[in-house]
Amino acid sequence: MNLKVNRLNASGTTYIEEKTVSDGDSEHVVPVIGFETYRNYTWLTHGFSTRYGGVSDGIYKSMNLSFSQGDDERRVLKNHGIMAKTMGVELADMVYSHQTHTTNVLRVTREHAGMGFTVTRNFHDVDGKYFFVTDVPGLMLVTAYADCVPLYFADTRLHVIGLSHSGWRGTVNNMAQATVDKMSYEFGSRPCDIAAFIGPSICASCYEIGDDVARNFRDRYGAESEKILTKKEAASEDKYYLNLHAANRINMLNAGISPQNIHVTDICTCCNPELLFSHRASKGKRGGLCGYMMIN
């Protein structure tokens, strides 16, 4: 697949930029997805990985960033090292989330640098803290995805950031509100100053769910669930299509973020399996993607 530098997508919210880096043995051309709303924020580095530019093979080809899908851990770590160089840092400058479907948010500081890569994490299942906010320059936040929704938050007044993961459970439990609340509590962020982005993830046309999951959204969103759930026609049982992008936008609005400061990609992981890893498209036989965010 040939990618053009800074090629904008149909909506104009998202672009892809190729970067060439060396791992000491060879050069890698690494495409990074970026968000137009953040392009002119000189104080901010951000991005989202694709399948390209790494050293994994088979179903993980080639930029697999997941340690939990059966790939050789040495290759996964090398891929992370390539992405670190692509994003302009070293692995020791990154902190990698321990992924679950909670809505707990951790304030990370310089003491967390390298955790998940070069240093053992000091946050784990007992803590229930997995997603990040920070005010520390030079500390790259890293979170993992393979259809779930990446949520980016940038306080343009105070220059603090948040990066969260929101699957259907995280969306129902309002991951967006939890992240905004944590930024407010820790740093004094005001929702009106936050520019937010809903990143590449499964779209409403691809995300089919059963009535049990749909019921959670009807209970949580009430009348607004009509904007989120679409009944699947001619199904033998109650099936719905779930719009996680719309649900997270509602969550951001309810958290106080201004409508003009909420931006949504139109890149679906499931619709683009040649570019992005998708759990649904691959029926679980896949690698993983990562989102990145750092204060310069």
Side-chain angles (χ1 to χ4, degrees):
M1 182 178 183
N2 294 319
L3 299 174
K4 296 179 181 179
V5 174
N6 292 344
R7 183 189 66 177
L8 294 177
N9 62 344
S11 69
T13 62
T14 310
Y15 61 92
I16 299 174
E17 182 175 7
E18 290 182 347
K19 301 181 181 181
T20 302
V21 299
S22 173
D23 65 4
D25 299 320
S26 57
E27 288 193 338
H28 301 264
V29 178
V30 186
V32 179
I33 295 175
F35 311 134
E36 189 65 25
T37 188
Y38 292 158
R39 190 198 284 264
N40 295 321
Y41 292 178
T42 58
W43 61 275
L44 180 66
T45 294
H46 78 286
F48 192 82
S49 70
T50 74
R51 294 187 64 146
Y52 289 86
V55 299
S56 294
D57 57 18
I59 62 172
Y60 311 110
K61 188 177 181 180
S62 64
M63 185 55 80
N64 170 38
L65 299 170
S66 174
F67 288 102
S68 62
Q69 294 296 312
D71 195 6
D72 186 321
E73 288 193 4
R74 292 169 298 180
R75 291 185 176 182
V76 179
L77 189 60
K78 189 164 188 175
N79 287 339
H80 279 290
I82 294 168
M83 283 304 304
K85 289 183 180 299
T86 301
M87 301 306 298
V89 297
E90 301 294 329
L91 282 177
D93 300 315
M94 290 180 156
V95 55
Y96 188 36
S97 65
H98 185 132
Q99 213 84 342
T100 68
H101 293 279
T102 66
T103 55
N104 296 291
V105 185
L106 175 69
R107 176 179 180 172
V108 293
T109 63
R110 179 52 58 182
E111 71 171 293
H112 296 98
M115 288 189 179
F117 297 121
T118 61
V119 181
T120 301
R121 296 183 182 95
N122 67 1
F123 51 94
H124 46 79
D125 288 339
V126 175
D127 298 323
K129 299 173 181 175
Y130 305 97
F131 309 114
F132 301 139
V133 297
T134 194
D135 62 347
V136 179
L139 183 62
M140 180 71 74
L141 309 183
V142 185
T143 54
Y145 309 90
D147 278 339
C148 292
V149 184
L151 304 179
Y152 293 72
F153 302 84
D155 183 329
T156 59
R157 177 177 64 98
L158 298 178
H159 291 187
V160 299
I161 57 175
L163 181 59
S164 301
H165 166 287
S166 192
W168 78 259
R169 291 179 182 85
T171 301
V172 163
N173 292 317
N174 208 341
M175 186 75 242
Q177 182 73 64
T179 308
V180 171
D181 286 348
K182 188 69 170 178
M183 292 174 70
S184 176
Y185 175 79
E186 295 286 354
F187 313 118
S189 292
R190 303 179 308 198
C192 62
D193 296 317
I194 294 175
F197 201 93
I198 298 170
S201 43
I202 194 166
C203 74
S205 298
C206 292
Y207 197 10
E208 181 182 319
I209 60 170
D211 188 61
D212 54 340
V213 175
R215 191 178 306 116
N216 284 275
F217 282 84
R218 288 195 295 268
D219 292 345
R220 164 71 175 82
Y221 290 90
E224 288 189 303
S225 63
E226 294 181 1
K227 304 174 185 177
I228 299 168
L229 297 169
T230 302
K231 184 74 178 291
K232 184 178 181 180
E233 299 297 332
S236 59
E237 53 187 298
D238 285 346
K239 295 288 186 180
Y240 298 82
Y241 290 108
L242 174 60
N243 190 334
L244 286 177
H245 294 171
N248 278 285
R249 187 175 189 278
I250 290 170
N251 289 350
M252 288 177 172
L253 288 169
N254 289 339
I257 301 177
S258 303
Q260 66 270 22
N261 288 338
I262 301 173
H263 308 273
V264 187
T265 186
D266 61 2
I267 296 179
C268 170
T269 46
C270 193
C271 288
N272 296 282
E274 78 290 347
L275 177 65
L276 303 167
F277 291 112
S278 166
H279 188 80
R280 288 228 167 184
S282 66
K283 296 181 172 58
K285 298 178 180 179
R286 48 84 181 173
L289 306 163
C290 280
Y292 301 89
M293 202 172 195
M294 180 180 71
I295 303 164
N296 295 330

